[in-house]
Amino acid sequence: SEFSHFLETYFSCGELFHIVNQIEIKGDFKLIETFKGGSNALTILLSDKNENQIVRKIVLSGYEEKLKKQAAWIKEKNKLVHFPKIINQGNIGNGNGAAAYFYDMEYVRNSTHFFDFIHNNPADNSREMLDAILGFLNQSLYLNRQHIKSMEDLDYYIDSKVLTKVRDVSLADKEIMNLLQFDRLMINNVEYDNLPAAIEKLRANENAVSELSCYCKSQIHGDLTIDNILVTDRNDFVLLDSNDENFISDPIVDMAKLYQSLHSGYEFLIALKDSQISGNTLRFDENISLKYSHLYTYLSGRLEKELPAGQFRSIIFHEAVHYCRMLPYRMKLNRPTAPVFYAIAVRLFNQYLSQF
C-alpha cells in the first residue's frame, strides 16, 4: 500500500519528483518516504549525507508564495514547543534559475498521526490529548482577540469561499453543474435545500446574519484537521501544516476544522472511490468510526459549555465553508468524489440553518 501511494504521488507531482530525483542522483540526500499533502507542495522524508533524517516541503517556482508564508509563520512560533522546527529553507536550481522552493523541518521520530492514536488507544487517552491541544491553543495562540462586526466581511467570505468555489468547480465538472439545476437535493435518502437556496435563506435570516457577522479576530492554526496532528511517543503532540490565509481568522475556524474530521468524517470520505448520482439524488458510503463519533460528542459538549450560543452554532457554518473551499483540490485529486464533498457542504448549511 505504501508503494501504491508512492506511485500515485510520483505521477501526480511529476515535475517536482524530477527535481527531487536530480538532487538525489547528485548524492545530496536519499528519498525515504512521501507523505500525503493537500496543496501544490510535495512533502518527503529524506536522509542527508550524515544520515540525519529531515522532512522537506517543496513546491515548484511560481507556487511558492503560500509555502513561504507558512514557513514564516512557523518560524515566528519557534519558541512554542508544539509546532515543528524549521532548520533550512531556500531555492533549488535546475541550471536555468530557481526551479523550486523548499523548507526543511526536524523529523519527529516515533510519532503517530492523531487518527491512528484515536483508533488504537482508549477513548480517555484521546479526550486527554484533545484537551491538551485545545489548552495549548487557548493559552499560546488565541491571544489578543479583537471583536469584529462586519457585514462586508461576511458577504466577502460567502462570495469568495463558497459561491465562487462552487461556480468554478461546476464549470469544470458536469455532475456538479447538473446538481446545481435543482432546488432541492436528496442526499443519502434525506432531502435538503440545494446550496444556492440554502445560502439565500441564510442571508435572509437576520439572526443568522447577525451572529455570523460578529467574530473574534486572532491568530489561529488555520488547518487543524486530525491529519495535521502528530502524537509523539512521550504522549505529547505537534501541530503541522498551519495555514495563515484565512479571511475570517477566528478560533471557531479551527474548531470547524476539527468538526470537519470528527463530525463529517473527512478522513473516511477521502477514501471513497466514487458516488452514485441520478437526477437530484446522491448516494455514497458514510463510515465514521465509533471512536470518531465518541470524540466528536465530547468536543461538541465541551464547546457548547464554553462558547456563547451564537459562536457554538456558527461552527457548523464554517465546517460547511471548509468543504466548499476544498472542492477545487478534490477535483484535482479525485474528481469522481467531488460531488460528495459538495453534498456534505449542502447538508451542513442546512444543518446550520435548522438551529434557528
Side-chain angles (χ1 to χ4, degrees), residues 114 117-131 290-296 298-299:
F114 196 24
F117 182 88
I118 290 169
H119 292 95
N120 291 314
N121 287 276
D124 286 348
N125 293 14
S126 298
R127 289 194 289 266
E128 289 172 4
M129 185 60 63
L130 186 59
D131 283 341
L290 281 175
K291 292 285 186 77
Y292 253 34
S293 296
H294 291 160
L295 194 56
Y296 165 71
Y298 174 74
L299 174 64

Side-chain angles (χ1 to χ4, degrees), residues 310-329:
Q311 282 186 296
F312 177 71
R313 278 192 291 266
S314 72
I315 298 175
I316 290 181
F317 165 79
H318 290 287
E319 182 186 0
V321 174
H322 289 330
Y323 273 89
C324 292
R325 290 175 64 173
M326 73 174 79
L327 278 173
Y329 169 65

Side-chain angles (χ1 to χ4, degrees), residues 53-84:
Q53 291 186 348
I54 60 174
V55 175
R56 172 167 292 184
K57 293 195 72 170
I58 181 171
V59 68
L60 292 173
S61 295
Y63 299 95
E64 71 270 22
E65 182 178 358
K66 181 176 180 179
L67 211 61
K68 284 184 174 180
K69 287 182 178 179
Q70 188 178 73
W73 191 94
I74 295 172
K75 290 182 75 174
E76 285 179 4
K77 310 297 182 295
N78 63 352
K79 293 182 180 179
L80 299 178
V81 296
H82 296 298
F83 291 111

Side-chain angles (χ1 to χ4, degrees), residues 202-248:
L202 188 156
R203 282 177 151 161
N205 188 312
E206 293 182 3
N207 291 327
V209 168
S210 177
E211 288 183 357
L212 293 175
S213 61
C214 297
Y215 64 97
C216 293
K217 185 177 182 179
S218 75
Q219 286 197 334
I220 64 174
H221 179 276
D223 198 11
L224 194 67
T225 62
I226 295 298
D227 250 2
N228 284 338
I229 301 171
L230 285 182
V231 180
T232 72
D233 58 350
R234 300 185 304 277
N235 209 33
D236 209 346
F237 62 90
V238 177
L239 306 180
L240 307 174
D241 282 349
S242 57
N243 178 11
D244 197 28
E245 296 183 339
N246 292 277
F247 181 74
I248 300 293

Side-chain angles (χ1 to χ4, degrees), residues 239-279:
L239 306 180
L240 307 174
D241 282 349
S242 57
N243 178 11
D244 197 28
E245 296 183 339
N246 292 277
F247 181 74
I248 300 293
S249 184
D250 185 319
I252 291 299
V253 172
D254 275 352
M255 300 306 102
K257 279 289 184 178
L258 289 175
Y259 267 46
Q260 173 186 307
S261 292
L262 299 174
H263 179 224
S264 299
Y266 170 78
E267 286 75 22
F268 295 93
L269 290 170
I270 60 176
L272 290 177
K273 299 300 182 184
D274 55 24
S275 59
Q276 295 78 49
I277 302 175
S278 177

